[in-house]
């Protein structure tokens, strides 16, 4: 299987998704559309992974629009897609939903609560990394997967092969360090979770998040 990853900023990489791919002997190709303007074709994509970004889907950049065209073609081809944060927002826009400023900014570790039986063998609560101040509306026809104390729409499933999460399951410790040292100032102002960059790093990545990320990917690729 060829896994094509769309990475939009150096500090937010695929993390434990690479572990999952290595375990299954999948090939991973990482594209950087914001820097190089390159995207894969649908024909050469078996799984599309769309990661976070400092940009908004509402920004007027050609690569953002081109990326949404790729998502649309993936949906038409009935191929699996996973989106994290900006990636989930991009999927939501393609499905006709709006993305806008959230009521509060979330940066740091906080629980999300499972709202659906779509995901098999998942805990009712998981502690995940939040790094956002925008949110998606739930697309028509999608199922709500997760909520948190401060945001209703923390994740959705569309059909059997598409999942978007406003938060991050995917970071490993290397990714977390990269996010904190390069973008840790983002946590300092207006953060409802009231966690500093140092506190976020000291918390570390919950061990179960690696297995939860793997379960999610297994489910959409085997659907």
């Amino acid at each position: 299987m060829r896994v094509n990853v769309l990475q939009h900023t150096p500090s937010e990489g695929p993390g434990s998704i690479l572990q999952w791919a290595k375990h299954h002997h999948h090939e991973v190709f990482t594209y950087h559309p914001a820097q190089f303007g390159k995207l894969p074709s649908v024909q050469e994509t078996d799984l599309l992974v769309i990661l976070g970004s400092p940009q908004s889907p509402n920004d007027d950049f050609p690569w953002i629009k081109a990326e949404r065209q790729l998502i649309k073609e993936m949906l038409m081809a009935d191929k699996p897609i996973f989106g994290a944060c900006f990636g989930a927002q991009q999927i939501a826009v393609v499905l006709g939903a709006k993305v806008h400023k959230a009521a509060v900014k979330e940066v740091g570790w906080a629980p999300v609560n499972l709202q659906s039986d779509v995901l098999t063998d998942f805990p009712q609560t998981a502690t995940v990394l939040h790094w956002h101040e925008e949110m998606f509306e739930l697309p028509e026809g999608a199922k709500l997967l997760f909520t948190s104390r401060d945001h209703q729409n923390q994740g959705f499933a569309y059909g059997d092969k598409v999942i978007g999460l406003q938060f991050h399951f995917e970071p490993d410790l290397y990714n977390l360090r990269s996010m904190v040292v390069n973008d840790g100032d983002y946590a300092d102002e207006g953060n409802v979770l009231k966690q500093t960059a140092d506190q976020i790093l000291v918390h570390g990545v919950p061990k179960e998040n690696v297995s939860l990320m793997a379960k999610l990917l297994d489910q959409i690729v085997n659907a």
Side-chain angles (χ1 to χ4, degrees):
M1 172 180 286
R2 175 164 170 156
V3 180
N4 285 331
V5 176
L6 309 186
Q7 182 173 339
H8 309 99
T9 178
S11 61
E12 297 189 32
S16 65
I17 294 172
L18 297 181
Q19 299 177 40
W20 170 83
K22 182 178 180 180
H23 175 76
H24 290 286
H25 306 288
H26 298 325
E27 293 183 322
V28 178
F29 292 80
T30 301
Y31 292 76
H32 301 270
Q35 286 74 37
F36 301 110
K38 302 288 187 179
L39 288 169
S41 68
V42 173
Q43 291 75 22
E44 62 189 353
T45 307
D46 298 308
L47 166 64
L48 182 66
V49 173
I50 314 162
L51 299 176
S53 172
Q55 281 79 37
S56 165
N58 298 317
D59 289 339
D60 189 22
F61 293 112
W63 66 266
I64 292 178
K65 296 176 183 178
E67 192 171 284
R68 288 207 288 267
Q69 179 60 33
L70 172 60
I71 294 168
K72 182 178 180 181
E73 292 173 5
M74 289 288 295
L75 290 168
M76 292 175 64
D78 195 31
K79 290 186 172 184
I81 311 171
F82 169 70
C85 202
F86 172 84
Q89 295 169 1
Q90 282 278 72
I91 299 168
V93 171
V94 172
L95 294 174
K98 293 183 178 181
V99 171
H100 53 78
K101 285 285 186 181
V104 293
K105 175 182 176 181
E106 287 182 308
V107 188
W109 297 97
V112 291
N113 302 307
L114 189 65
Q115 300 295 320
S116 170
D117 60 359
V118 169
L119 292 172
T120 57
D121 195 26
F122 254 67
Q124 286 300 308
T125 302
T127 298
V128 301
L129 184 63
H130 303 267
W131 208 276
H132 70 101
E133 57 186 301
E134 289 194 325
M135 62 176 289
F136 53 77
E137 295 295 333
L138 190 67
E140 184 176 352
K143 294 182 179 180
L144 180 66
L145 289 184
F146 296 96
T147 62
S148 70
R149 180 195 67 183
D150 297 300
H151 288 300
Q152 172 71 15
N153 298 333
Q154 286 283 1
F156 66 86
Y158 185 78
D160 297 326
K161 298 180 180 179
V162 179
I163 288 180
L165 303 178
Q166 185 58 68
F167 56 87
H168 299 270
F169 265 140
E170 77 281 0
D172 56 20
L173 183 56
Y174 175 83
N175 291 144
L176 181 63
R177 288 170 178 162
S178 181
M179 293 173 77
V180 165
V181 300
N182 290 290
D183 197 26
D185 292 346
Y186 185 63
D188 292 340
E189 186 175 347
N191 177 12
V192 70
L193 299 181
K194 300 186 184 302
Q195 297 176 28
T196 66
D198 286 343
Q199 289 171 330
I200 293 168
L201 183 58
V202 168
H203 181 282
V205 179
K207 291 181 180 179
E208 60 269 23
N209 286 14
V210 174
S211 62
L212 294 177
M213 185 74 259
K215 285 180 182 180
L216 186 154
L217 294 172
D218 282 337
Q219 184 162 328
I220 62 174
V221 300
N222 294 323

